[in-house]
Amino acid sequence: MELPFAESWKIKMVEPIRRSTREEREHWLAEAHYNVFQLKAEQVYIDLLTDSGTGAMSDRQWAELMLGDESYAGATSFYKLEAVIKRLFGMKYVIPTHQGRAAENVLFSYLVKEGNVIPGNAHFDTTKGHIESRHAVAVDVTTADARNTQLEVPFKGNVDLDKLEKVLKENAGNVPFMVLTVTNNTVGGQPVSMANIKSTCALCHRYGVPVVMDSARFAENAYFIKVREEGYAGKTIKEITAEMYADADAMTMSAKKDGVVNMGGFIGLKNKEWYEGAKLFCIPFEGYVTYGGMNGRDMNALAQGLDENTEFDMLHTRIHQVAYLASKLDEYGIPYQRPAGGHAIFVDADRVLDRIPKEEFPAQTLTCELYLEAGIRACEIGYMLADRDPVTRENRFGGLDLVRLCIPRRVYTDNHMDVIAAAMKNVYDRRESITRGVAIEWEAPLMRHFTVQLKRL
Ligand code: F0G
């Protein structure tokens, strides 16, 4: 008999979690103004809000914490981290930051000027925020494939090269860089193919435009290249990673994802001029350049995390779990962005709650229903997150309206996946009875989804 697949690790430490009653959850959610970001974590049974900073570190990472060098300047921990980043990505210059958005803040402070245009294969919200707050324009050049959740294509995160070329042509001289996000979080944790990465870099370079890789989930992207793209099955994740970054000019990294640390990030650069420019913003915003926003011990843990999370078995364990959850949803007929992504399943709320109009935020409503059903905290990646157009102030209803079931790394077991799928099924089975959504009572002018206050209609 062929032995079944199992995790490539065993568990050394556990943390209790608690179930609650529906009555408790009704009360807590009302107190949170129907915004799950406002819940206390202890009011949550299974937390799928994000895979960012929520992973479980390995015994080797915890051991590295003890070896951290907390020197203000020139700490050994910095050089350890720098060496891993040079080896994996070929980035000559490294600036540590406290997380991904801080890397964006430092680099974009140097690079982005008012009126600039910055294309990307679906910018993440903080990336878009850092562009728009500098009065520049973030243009999405995502493939049309990504808009159809039921279309099963292997690299739905790809850049539409025609759309990109049009932006580069029409804005010649006004595009400081292009952002290539791997995997593409916004469209469902979907990967970008190696062929598309290379073509994107070649096209941008033809127009004299550098490429910045938003690298939060680069290792998951490398895994998908290995298992889905012709010619890569025999290569290691580390070899594929090196090839992904061979033509890129720079990277911003939220280390809280594929670095498997609870906090951290960095900028990687190939060009000395950019390094010198970004450094000037690192010192006042983050800290001196050999620690930026990080403790020495955290740089050590990150160096170890990057190394071990670029091993096939680690990634296979993770992506297998996400695929397992997807297979349960398939069994129950629940529509999600196909195929299953690297870090999450994105349920197509527009299709589930098709009686609720856009103006009443179907995905936000489904997020509330899932919490009420089983204490599971998911995250709306839809019309609430899309926010308002900075000029017209109209809601941006043009994109997808999804509920992200985001799986932390090495935290939950497949039994938890069974609970999540069953809870989703229960909500799905009573979807006809959910006919009204939510309305906004108060919202912030930027990144409203974190603090928005809602009422149930
Ligand atoms: N880029 C991508 C693709 C991201 O997914 C994130 C964060 C960031 C940049 C910003 O990094 O949080 O370290 O400042 N994504 C998290 C998420 C928050 O839940 O998807 P950060």
Side-chain angles (χ1 to χ4, degrees):
M1 181 179 178
E2 194 185 339
L3 296 179
F5 170 82
E7 289 76 5
S8 66
W9 34 259
K10 58 181 179 170
I11 297 165
K12 190 175 286 188
M13 190 184 286
V14 295
E15 178 183 348
I17 51 176
R18 189 177 88 77
R19 284 177 190 263
S20 52
T21 63
R22 182 161 181 124
E23 204 181 0
E24 283 175 319
R25 294 192 292 274
E26 289 276 2
H27 175 67
W28 292 332
L29 192 61
E31 266 187 350
H33 301 277
Y34 300 94
N35 178 355
V36 293
F37 278 101
Q38 300 296 316
L39 289 169
K40 291 180 179 150
E42 63 187 13
Q43 296 166 341
V44 174
Y45 173 44
I46 300 175
D47 206 345
L48 308 182
L49 188 62
T50 179
D51 64 331
S52 182
T54 54
M57 291 206 297
S58 68
D59 53 354
R60 284 148 186 84
Q61 287 181 286
W62 282 103
E64 281 295 331
L65 289 182
M66 293 304 293
L67 301 174
D69 176 358
E70 306 301 343
S71 303
Y72 191 93
T76 57
S77 299
F78 170 75
Y79 293 109
K80 193 180 262 187
L81 177 61
E82 187 192 50
V84 173
I85 295 169
K86 278 186 181 168
R87 171 160 57 81
L88 288 176
F89 306 102
M91 294 290 165
K92 219 166 155 187
Y93 304 100
V94 175
I95 298 178
T97 60
H98 77 272
Q99 59 184 89
R101 68 200 67 186
E104 292 162 1
N105 187 32
V106 168
L107 187 62
F108 294 7
S109 290
Y110 171 60
L111 292 178
V112 179
K113 306 279 178 290
E114 187 169 339
N116 280 168
V117 172
I118 294 144
N121 57 333
H123 298 270
F124 183 67
D125 58 340
T126 60
T127 320
K128 193 173 244 147
H130 277 300
I131 293 169
E132 291 178 347
S133 65
R134 289 173 172 82
H135 306 287
V137 185
V139 184
D140 284 341
V141 292
T142 321
T143 55
D145 286 352
R147 291 186 59 85
N148 178 356
T149 59
Q150 300 312 291
L151 192 67
E152 191 99 26
V153 295
F155 292 102
K156 253 185 176 175
N158 277 358
V159 172
D160 181 323
L161 295 165
D162 293 334
K163 279 192 208 164
L164 173 61
E165 181 150 25
K166 192 162 177 285
V167 175
L168 296 175
K169 219 179 241 167
E170 287 173 359
N171 298 283
N174 196 28
V175 183
F177 58 91
M178 186 263 176
V179 180
L180 182 55
T181 306
V182 291
T183 58
N184 192 333
N185 185 6
T186 311
V187 307
Q190 298 291 324
V192 181
S193 71
M194 187 71 87
N196 193 258
I197 293 173
K198 288 185 175 172
S199 306
T200 299
C201 290
L203 179 60
C204 285
H205 291 161
R206 220 178 308 135
Y207 283 84
V209 171
V211 175
V212 176
M213 304 267 281
D214 178 348
S215 308
R217 301 178 184 86
F218 75 94
E220 292 172 5
N221 202 99
Y223 172 90
F224 283 122
I225 289 175
K226 182 176 168 77
V227 300
R228 290 185 187 168
E229 194 163 348
E230 214 186 310
Y232 289 93
K235 298 206 169 160
T236 65
I237 298 294
K238 287 186 168 68
E239 286 165 346
I240 295 170
T241 301
E243 195 173 330
M244 281 167 63
Y245 286 81
D247 299 332
D249 299 275
M251 65 189 291
T252 53
M253 175 75 186
S254 168
K256 300 166 73 171
K257 285 83 166 175
D258 273 347
V260 207
V261 289
N262 301 116
M263 190 55 76
F266 61 86
I267 304 168
L269 303 151
K270 288 188 182 167
N271 163 334
K272 184 150 196 311
E273 195 185 321
W274 278 21
Y275 172 63
E276 295 298 335
K279 235 162 73 170
L280 298 177
F281 292 95
C282 178
I283 294 170
F285 288 165
E286 291 289 294
Y288 181 65
V289 289
T290 58
Y291 70 87
M294 295 181 76
N295 296 311
R297 55 181 173 273
D298 289 344
M299 289 191 277
N300 270 19
L302 173 55
Q304 172 63 29
L306 287 169
D307 220 359
E308 68 188 34
N309 201 37
T310 42
E311 289 299 321
F312 180 79
D313 285 356
M314 198 60 83
L315 291 159
H316 188 57
T317 298
R318 163 161 184 70
I319 289 169
H320 188 275
Q321 184 171 56
V322 177
Y324 173 73
L325 175 58
S327 73
K328 299 297 281 187
L329 298 186
D330 284 341
E331 208 177 290
Y332 305 144
I334 298 165
Y336 59 87
Q337 172 70 294
R338 307 187 70 87
H343 65 301
I345 303 292
F346 289 62
V347 177
D348 191 341
D350 253 349
R351 283 176 193 260
V352 175
L353 299 183
D354 57 2
R355 293 168 169 231
I356 298 182
K358 286 184 170 49
E359 293 71 20
E360 295 182 14
F361 301 99
Q364 184 67 32
T365 308
L366 185 56
T367 304
C368 291
E369 288 294 336
L370 186 62
Y371 175 72
L372 293 173
E373 180 66 33
I376 295 166
R377 173 157 68 172
C379 180
E380 195 253 21
I381 304 269
Y383 304 140
M384 194 62 73
L385 180 90
D387 222 311
R388 292 176 188 272
D389 183 283
V391 179
T392 66
R393 301 306 298 158
E394 291 296 322
N395 279 306
R396 289 193 271 215
F397 286 132
L400 295 170
D401 197 36
L402 307 169
V403 173
R404 186 177 73 170
L405 307 174
C406 197
I407 315 297
R409 292 166 186 76
R410 314 190 283 213
V411 170
Y412 293 114
T413 67
D414 287 356
N415 289 330
H416 294 108
M417 300 302 120
D418 288 339
V419 174
I420 298 158
M424 237 9 256
K425 180 185 189 307
N426 290 347
V427 175
Y428 188 65
D429 287 350
R430 60 181 165 77
R431 65 191 181 281
E432 303 278 295
S433 67
I434 306 168
T435 55
R436 297 300 308 269
V438 293
I440 295 175
E441 287 199 311
W442 178 87
E443 66 184 287
L446 197 69
M447 299 203 182
R448 65 180 179 186
H449 59 290
F450 292 121
T451 52
V452 70
Q453 297 186 356
L454 303 163
K455 67 173 178 200
R456 259 168 133 177
L457 295 169

